[in-house]
Every structure is written in C-alpha cells, then in structure tokens.
Amino acid sequence: MSMVLYPLLNHDDLRRWRACSRRFWLYRRSEHVATPKLAGREARAEDRADVSAEAAVVHGPGVDAALRASYPLADIIPPPTTQAEWTRALRQTLHCLDGDRVAPEGWAILGACLTSEDRAQARIDVLTCGERGLRLFKLRYATVGDESDVDTAAFWTDVAARCGLRVQSVGLLLVDTDFIYPGHGCYAGLFREVDLAPVLGSRPVAAWLDAMRSCDRGPQPPATPGTHCTQNGGCEFTQQCAACTVSAAETAPDPLAKLEIVGHDLATEFRAAGHTDLHSVALQTLDNTRHRRAVRAIQQGAPVLETEVAALIQALPYPRHSLRFDTIGFAVPLWAGTRPYQVLPFQWTCDVLQADGHCAQHGFLADAQGGDPRRAFALSLLQVLDSRGAVLAYNAGFERNRIRDLARLFDDLAPALEAVLERLVDLFQIARGHYYHPVMAGSWSFKSISRAVAPDVTLVLDESLAPSPQAAFAHSLQRGLDAQTRQQLRAALQTHGQRQTEVLRRMAALFEAAAGGQAPDHRDPH
C-alpha cells in the first residue's frame, strides 16, 4: 500500500481554516494546489504584490530600502516557488542560523524558511537575535495589526520551536506614524515593535494543526454561510456553496431600494413593520425631506431634481472651474519631510468654462524625477484658477483641506491659496439638498453620483495597468520602469482626471437646467 502525503500546512491554510473549514478543504483539493503546497508559494504571491502597483499604494516605492535600513546586515532569502527552491531556502536559513556564527548588530534573516517534523511550513518575515534567543516578527506595512496577524505569528512560533529554535520574543513590526523621513534612504525608525507575548497563549496552534489535518483527511465539511463568506475579498468558492447563494437569491430585496437608504434606525422600524425594501413605504411616513425625495425617486423609477437648484447654479460667477484632486499616502514615505500615510496631492485636473460656453482643460501630474511635487502642484494650480470665478468641487472639504495644507507649507503662496478657499462651491451639498437618482442606492460617493449624472463616463482605470489612480501613480514612480509603461500610466491618470471634471461639468449643467421644472437631462451639454 502506498502512503498518501498531504501537502504541508502553512499560515494561509490556517487563515482559511479559521474562517471556514469548507473553504480550507476545497482549497486543498483545488487547482491552486495541484502541485505540492509550499509556504513559499503563498509568500511568492505576497512578494509579487509587494512590488505591484496596488501594493505600492500602501507600501511605496521605497519599501525594500525601508526594511533594509532597519536591518542593514540582513540575510535575505528569496521566496521559493518550487520544491527544489524551498529545499535551498531551508538550507540557506539553517546556514544563517549556524550556532558558531556571532550575529552582528543589525543582522536578521528576512524570509526565513522552516519546516517542522509535523509537516508544517513557515516563511517568517523577520528573524533576528535577542540576548536570550531569537526574536520573531510579523511585518505589516500598517499602523495596527489584526487577529490574523496574531494567528500567523503564533503559527510561525510553533514551527520555529518544533525546529529546535529558541524564540525569545514574538511581535509585530508596524509603521510608526510619528516617523518623519529625513531623505537619502534613511528609514531607520520607521517601524515600531508590538509585543505579542500577552496574547500568544490564547492561540492553541498544536490543537489547530491536529484539527486541520483531520479536516483535510475527512469528508467535505458542510457549508456554513455567514459574514466570513464576503470578508477580506470574499471566498473563492462561494459560487459552489448552494446554501450561500440560493436562499439569498430568493429573498434578496431590491438593492437600489434597500431600507438602509433612509438610515439604520428607520430601516429597523420599517423591517419590523413588514417592509423588505422602500417600494412599499408610504411617503407620508417620512419626516425628512431628503428621505422623501429618495423614496419618491425609487418608487417612480426616475430621478428627482428640485427646480430651485437651478438658481443656485445660475448665481455662480464665470469662469467656472471644475476641480478634482488626486492624492496618495505612502506607508514608506518617498519625499523628505513627509510622514507615513500623510495625504499628499500628486495630480489636479481643472476644466475652465467661460460664459460663452468655451471650455478649456488643464492639469498637473507629478513625475518620478521631480521629487516632492507639492510646490509645483500649488504654483500651477494658482496659475489656472487665477483670482476670478467659482471653483466647483464634490465633497469640497477634501480639496479645501489639501489647499490649507499647502498654504501652511508655503508661506509665500498662502494668501493666494487661502483666497481660493472662499471661491469653493461644494456640489455634494447642492446635490444632497436637491437631487436623487435611484442608481445611487443611497450612496453619495463621487462614483455613485457619476453613475447618475454621467452614466456613460467610466471612472475605472484599465485594470491591466493598475487597479486605482493611486496604484498607477505609485507604479509610475518605480525605479527601472520602462518608458513606455510609465507613459501609459501617466496617460491613464490624465484621462481619469479629465473624466472626473467632465462629471462635475455635467452635474452643474444638469442642475442649472432644472429651471422651469423640466425633466433631468443626463446627456453631456458640451
């Protein structure tokens, strides 16, 4: 009889099993693990993400330099992707842990690979020396950790202990938001340590591993639908769980008429009264004018636009500037004098509409060679906004706060920047007080209002380039990026900015056309 060897368990298996035993069981038998399961395989996916455009939004182009600055003498073990690479990584880890070697200050192993005798596998973010043993860290480019981080650290600790390593302490490495980047790659001090000793005892890893092995060898667990089906990006096997989809599909209310549109308290009252959505709610039961407007639009299946909004738009002086900012916050600061996650503007787009109907498009986009872009951002913005006309924005408090930040940073530009604040007009407040379209589904985000006033304008970037504007910009700053890709990213960002200001123009034109009670026209007037 041949012996059946199940793939080794790693911390991603633990994460799936803790969320749903069925998901764990299905994943272990899916095409994802058609070849022997490697802890390094999951690590490889994470490392690919580390240098991807999406992760750069969180980490920043300086992510590698930041960790190396904290451990300048680190041994770095590349993530293994095959069994042979894993074997080499394991040997390299053991060589780095050679007991006859005195570890100098600033030494660590980044990506230590270990396999325990009970067939558990770990690729540990950081292993370094303490006075009485090794110090183990789970690295997060975030300000706080979560329960899954503690689970992972406990799992790694168990593997290390079973490999005969003496672990002195276990913790998280998190980003310290008090850190101010001095420039020149000096990232020492970016991370703060959080001791996990007080909570590790609540993680019975050995019992978990036994239960996982029993589950892996047993029959398929039953479906247990719940919030875990949609958390953290959702389960990849949801469509295979009839219990998670069939009953929900049969009873799901109209998502465009959900009771929560009028607030959670009222939704609870209406649900207790037997309502499943807003189609059956009587208008006279609603005291709030905005709620009545939304329910009226939902029940008539058409947008509601109050005629008095036209006068508000007509009173706005020309030239009218439709303005949008794009900002980013790096976990690993890129420009000297900035902090982790500090909100930094990198692009503005502005359409300038004259009284005769002529419209000109303007914009600014920071580049990889220009360094801190904020002064160039402010100067170019002031040149286009000049000193006359309304400045239209959506949720204008965001643009207002960024302009104030710039005014505090540049004393010589402060008077002109502060003068812009007096000209800002918030289309969000105007829309919220006079308009509702059923497609908004209760959301007043810019994307939701754009679906209502400009349904043919897409605000989503080409996902083959980047999943978001912030991702596209961060990726464009990567060193060694080829010129063609960089230009494609910049062109996509500029197009995205122009689409945003087009939405603002259409919104203002739609509201201005409400005079005389005419029906809303969502076509582009220009």
Side-chain angles (χ1 to χ4, degrees), residues 162-178:
R162 290 177 182 272
C163 289
L165 302 182
R166 182 178 181 182
V167 179
Q168 170 187 319
S169 62
V170 181
L172 295 180
L173 286 181
L174 301 175
V175 173
D176 186 350
T177 54
D178 290 332

PDB file of all heavy atoms in Angstrom, residues 162-178:
ATOM      1  N   ARG A 162       9.358  23.818  17.099  1.00  0.00           N
ATOM      2  CA  ARG A 162       9.455  22.406  16.728  1.00  0.00           C
ATOM      3  C   ARG A 162      10.715  22.119  15.919  1.00  0.00           C
ATOM      4  O   ARG A 162      11.125  20.963  15.791  1.00  0.00           O
ATOM      5  CB  ARG A 162       8.216  21.967  15.963  1.00  0.00           C
ATOM      6  CG  ARG A 162       6.967  21.896  16.838  1.00  0.00           C
ATOM      7  CD  ARG A 162       5.727  21.533  16.035  1.00  0.00           C
ATOM      8  NE  ARG A 162       4.538  21.518  16.870  1.00  0.00           N
ATOM      9  CZ  ARG A 162       4.117  20.469  17.557  1.00  0.00           C
ATOM     10  NH1 ARG A 162       4.803  19.327  17.514  1.00  0.00           N
ATOM     11  NH2 ARG A 162       3.022  20.540  18.284  1.00  0.00           N
ATOM     12  N   CYS A 163      11.298  23.178  15.358  1.00  0.00           N
ATOM     13  CA  CYS A 163      12.576  23.025  14.644  1.00  0.00           C
ATOM     14  C   CYS A 163      13.767  23.163  15.591  1.00  0.00           C
ATOM     15  O   CYS A 163      14.924  23.161  15.146  1.00  0.00           O
ATOM     16  CB  CYS A 163      12.678  24.063  13.522  1.00  0.00           C
ATOM     17  SG  CYS A 163      11.579  23.747  12.125  1.00  0.00           S
ATOM     18  N   GLY A 164      13.491  23.326  16.891  1.00  0.00           N
ATOM     19  CA  GLY A 164      14.550  23.390  17.875  1.00  0.00           C
ATOM     20  C   GLY A 164      15.127  24.769  18.095  1.00  0.00           C
ATOM     21  O   GLY A 164      16.175  24.919  18.733  1.00  0.00           O
ATOM     22  N   LEU A 165      14.455  25.804  17.588  1.00  0.00           N
ATOM     23  CA  LEU A 165      14.946  27.163  17.769  1.00  0.00           C
ATOM     24  C   LEU A 165      14.423  27.746  19.079  1.00  0.00           C
ATOM     25  O   LEU A 165      13.277  27.495  19.476  1.00  0.00           O
ATOM     26  CB  LEU A 165      14.515  28.053  16.600  1.00  0.00           C
ATOM     27  CG  LEU A 165      14.964  27.607  15.207  1.00  0.00           C
ATOM     28  CD1 LEU A 165      14.500  28.613  14.165  1.00  0.00           C
ATOM     29  CD2 LEU A 165      16.477  27.432  15.151  1.00  0.00           C
ATOM     30  N   ARG A 166      15.282  28.495  19.737  1.00  0.00           N
ATOM     31  CA  ARG A 166      14.884  29.144  20.980  1.00  0.00           C
ATOM     32  C   ARG A 166      14.373  30.545  20.646  1.00  0.00           C
ATOM     33  O   ARG A 166      15.147  31.422  20.265  1.00  0.00           O
ATOM     34  CB  ARG A 166      16.062  29.233  21.944  1.00  0.00           C
ATOM     35  CG  ARG A 166      15.702  29.852  23.281  1.00  0.00           C
ATOM     36  CD  ARG A 166      16.899  29.875  24.207  1.00  0.00           C
ATOM     37  NE  ARG A 166      16.556  30.452  25.501  1.00  0.00           N
ATOM     38  CZ  ARG A 166      17.428  30.623  26.491  1.00  0.00           C
ATOM     39  NH1 ARG A 166      18.692  30.248  26.314  1.00  0.00           N
ATOM     40  NH2 ARG A 166      17.045  31.163  27.621  1.00  0.00           N
ATOM     41  N   VAL A 167      13.070  30.738  20.791  1.00  0.00           N
ATOM     42  CA  VAL A 167      12.446  32.018  20.463  1.00  0.00           C
ATOM     43  C   VAL A 167      12.282  32.825  21.744  1.00  0.00           C
ATOM     44  O   VAL A 167      11.551  32.434  22.661  1.00  0.00           O
ATOM     45  CB  VAL A 167      11.087  31.814  19.773  1.00  0.00           C
ATOM     46  CG1 VAL A 167      10.434  33.167  19.470  1.00  0.00           C
ATOM     47  CG2 VAL A 167      11.259  31.010  18.483  1.00  0.00           C
ATOM     48  N   GLN A 168      12.960  33.948  21.802  1.00  0.00           N
ATOM     49  CA  GLN A 168      12.912  34.801  22.985  1.00  0.00           C
ATOM     50  C   GLN A 168      11.652  35.656  23.027  1.00  0.00           C
ATOM     51  O   GLN A 168      11.028  35.827  24.073  1.00  0.00           O
ATOM     52  CB  GLN A 168      14.137  35.720  22.998  1.00  0.00           C
ATOM     53  CG  GLN A 168      14.093  36.829  24.047  1.00  0.00           C
ATOM     54  CD  GLN A 168      15.242  37.803  23.891  1.00  0.00           C
ATOM     55  OE1 GLN A 168      16.376  37.403  23.635  1.00  0.00           O
ATOM     56  NE2 GLN A 168      14.956  39.098  24.043  1.00  0.00           N
ATOM     57  N   SER A 169      11.256  36.194  21.876  1.00  0.00           N
ATOM     58  CA  SER A 169      10.100  37.089  21.843  1.00  0.00           C
ATOM     59  C   SER A 169       9.459  37.046  20.466  1.00  0.00           C
ATOM     60  O   SER A 169      10.093  36.695  19.466  1.00  0.00           O
ATOM     61  CB  SER A 169      10.507  38.532  22.183  1.00  0.00           C
ATOM     62  OG  SER A 169      11.417  39.025  21.218  1.00  0.00           O
ATOM     63  N   VAL A 170       8.185  37.396  20.459  1.00  0.00           N
ATOM     64  CA  VAL A 170       7.401  37.411  19.220  1.00  0.00           C
ATOM     65  C   VAL A 170       6.653  38.732  19.165  1.00  0.00           C
ATOM     66  O   VAL A 170       6.090  39.185  20.177  1.00  0.00           O
ATOM     67  CB  VAL A 170       6.400  36.234  19.187  1.00  0.00           C
ATOM     68  CG1 VAL A 170       5.606  36.248  17.884  1.00  0.00           C
ATOM     69  CG2 VAL A 170       7.118  34.902  19.368  1.00  0.00           C
ATOM     70  N   GLY A 171       6.634  39.350  18.008  1.00  0.00           N
ATOM     71  CA  GLY A 171       5.955  40.642  17.913  1.00  0.00           C
ATOM     72  C   GLY A 171       5.568  41.006  16.501  1.00  0.00           C
ATOM     73  O   GLY A 171       5.810  40.268  15.536  1.00  0.00           O
ATOM     74  N   LEU A 172       4.934  42.163  16.389  1.00  0.00           N
ATOM     75  CA  LEU A 172       4.602  42.760  15.099  1.00  0.00           C
ATOM     76  C   LEU A 172       5.527  43.938  14.851  1.00  0.00           C
ATOM     77  O   LEU A 172       5.905  44.659  15.781  1.00  0.00           O
ATOM     78  CB  LEU A 172       3.155  43.262  15.089  1.00  0.00           C
ATOM     79  CG  LEU A 172       2.028  42.242  15.205  1.00  0.00           C
ATOM     80  CD1 LEU A 172       0.690  42.956  15.175  1.00  0.00           C
ATOM     81  CD2 LEU A 172       2.101  41.219  14.089  1.00  0.00           C
ATOM     82  N   LEU A 173       5.893  44.132  13.604  1.00  0.00           N
ATOM     83  CA  LEU A 173       6.553  45.353  13.172  1.00  0.00           C
ATOM     84  C   LEU A 173       5.519  46.177  12.421  1.00  0.00           C
ATOM     85  O   LEU A 173       5.034  45.756  11.362  1.00  0.00           O
ATOM     86  CB  LEU A 173       7.745  45.044  12.262  1.00  0.00           C
ATOM     87  CG  LEU A 173       9.007  44.486  12.915  1.00  0.00           C
ATOM     88  CD1 LEU A 173      10.077  44.261  11.856  1.00  0.00           C
ATOM     89  CD2 LEU A 173       9.535  45.422  13.990  1.00  0.00           C
ATOM     90  N   LEU A 174       5.174  47.330  12.977  1.00  0.00           N
ATOM     91  CA  LEU A 174       4.164  48.200  12.387  1.00  0.00           C
ATOM     92  C   LEU A 174       4.781  49.550  12.049  1.00  0.00           C
ATOM     93  O   LEU A 174       5.830  49.933  12.580  1.00  0.00           O
ATOM     94  CB  LEU A 174       2.995  48.393  13.361  1.00  0.00           C
ATOM     95  CG  LEU A 174       2.275  47.124  13.807  1.00  0.00           C
ATOM     96  CD1 LEU A 174       1.236  47.456  14.864  1.00  0.00           C
ATOM     97  CD2 LEU A 174       1.621  46.424  12.622  1.00  0.00           C
ATOM     98  N   VAL A 175       4.121  50.279  11.180  1.00  0.00           N
ATOM     99  CA  VAL A 175       4.615  51.588  10.766  1.00  0.00           C
ATOM    100  C   VAL A 175       4.332  52.611  11.863  1.00  0.00           C
ATOM    101  O   VAL A 175       3.212  52.688  12.383  1.00  0.00           O
ATOM    102  CB  VAL A 175       3.945  52.020   9.447  1.00  0.00           C
ATOM    103  CG1 VAL A 175       4.308  53.454   9.095  1.00  0.00           C
ATOM    104  CG2 VAL A 175       4.355  51.073   8.320  1.00  0.00           C
ATOM    105  N   ASP A 176       5.344  53.388  12.209  1.00  0.00           N
ATOM    106  CA  ASP A 176       5.218  54.445  13.211  1.00  0.00           C
ATOM    107  C   ASP A 176       4.866  55.753  12.502  1.00  0.00           C
ATOM    108  O   ASP A 176       5.688  56.305  11.770  1.00  0.00           O
ATOM    109  CB  ASP A 176       6.537  54.587  13.975  1.00  0.00           C
ATOM    110  CG  ASP A 176       6.442  55.568  15.136  1.00  0.00           C
ATOM    111  OD1 ASP A 176       5.424  56.278  15.234  1.00  0.00           O
ATOM    112  OD2 ASP A 176       7.399  55.633  15.931  1.00  0.00           O
ATOM    113  N   THR A 177       3.662  56.236  12.727  1.00  0.00           N
ATOM    114  CA  THR A 177       3.209  57.438  12.014  1.00  0.00           C
ATOM    115  C   THR A 177       3.889  58.709  12.517  1.00  0.00           C
ATOM    116  O   THR A 177       3.741  59.769  11.907  1.00  0.00           O
ATOM    117  CB  THR A 177       1.689  57.600  12.137  1.00  0.00           C
ATOM    118  OG1 THR A 177       1.314  57.568  13.526  1.00  0.00           O
ATOM    119  CG2 THR A 177       0.970  56.493  11.396  1.00  0.00           C
ATOM    120  N   ASP A 178       4.632  58.624  13.617  1.00  0.00           N
ATOM    121  CA  ASP A 178       5.393  59.787  14.093  1.00  0.00           C
ATOM    122  C   ASP A 178       6.722  59.941  13.351  1.00  0.00           C
ATOM    123  O   ASP A 178       7.392  60.964  13.491  1.00  0.00           O
ATOM    124  CB  ASP A 178       5.666  59.682  15.591  1.00  0.00           C
ATOM    125  CG  ASP A 178       4.403  59.852  16.423  1.00  0.00           C
ATOM    126  OD1 ASP A 178       3.482  60.546  15.953  1.00  0.00           O
ATOM    127  OD2 ASP A 178       4.329  59.292  17.524  1.00  0.00           O
TER     128      ASP A 178
END
